[in-house]
Amino acid sequence: MKFLKKDDVVFQDLGLGVSRKILVHNDELMMVEVHFEKGAVGSVHSHPHQQMSYILSGLFAFENDGETRTVGQGDSLLFSSGVEHGVVCLQEGTVLDIFTPTRKDFL
């Protein structure tokens, strides 16, 4: 078992109103907490990883393969590998992202 206390890891400032905290992970699975200030943008991108996102707080407009959905606290999303997606933060908040396999580019 891998155990991580919330204060064991601090947010990394990614700039432009986005910060990230890498939580537990192994080679196959990774959990990441991402905080967005209002107006912050996660640019449209794609990656070979599958991704699930759970909205902990805030309001977001997520784009996935050309379709945009507005989501808020308690909503969740699934992004297939290789599909372009991005986000605009409409109201300050936090998203919990889960990737498989692990995003080694984040480490």
Side-chain angles (χ1 to χ4, degrees), residues 61-102:
F62 273 91
E63 179 182 335
N64 183 51
D65 201 21
E67 179 183 359
T68 301
R69 294 280 177 102
T70 300
V71 296
Q73 184 176 5
D75 293 335
S76 54
L77 306 102
L78 177 65
F79 302 99
S80 298
S81 61
V83 175
E84 290 194 338
H85 59 281
V87 64
V88 175
C89 181
L90 305 175
Q91 178 184 29
E92 181 176 359
T94 303
V95 176
L96 184 65
D97 288 330
I98 299 171
F99 298 98
T100 185
T102 289

Side-chain angles (χ1 to χ4, degrees), residues 33-45:
E33 185 176 345
V34 187
H35 182 79
F36 294 85
E37 294 176 12
K38 183 178 180 179
V41 174
S43 299
V44 174
H45 64 285

Side-chain angles (χ1 to χ4, degrees), residues 8-77:
D8 289 346
V9 161
V10 296
F11 279 98
Q12 302 168 307
D13 185 359
L14 303 178
L16 302 175
V18 181
S19 56
R20 172 174 67 206
K21 184 188 280 194
I22 297 171
L23 304 173
V24 291
H25 59 87
N26 60 22
D27 288 340
E28 293 86 31
L29 197 58
M30 171 183 264
M31 188 164 48
V32 179
E33 185 176 345
V34 187
H35 182 79
F36 294 85
E37 294 176 12
K38 183 178 180 179
V41 174
S43 299
V44 174
H45 64 285
S46 67
H47 45 73
H49 313 83
Q50 292 186 61
Q51 175 181 342
M52 292 186 289
S53 297
Y54 179 78
I55 311 305
L56 294 169
S57 63
L59 190 65
F60 299 87
F62 273 91
E63 179 182 335
N64 183 51
D65 201 21
E67 179 183 359
T68 301
R69 294 280 177 102
T70 300
V71 296
Q73 184 176 5
D75 293 335
S76 54
L77 306 102

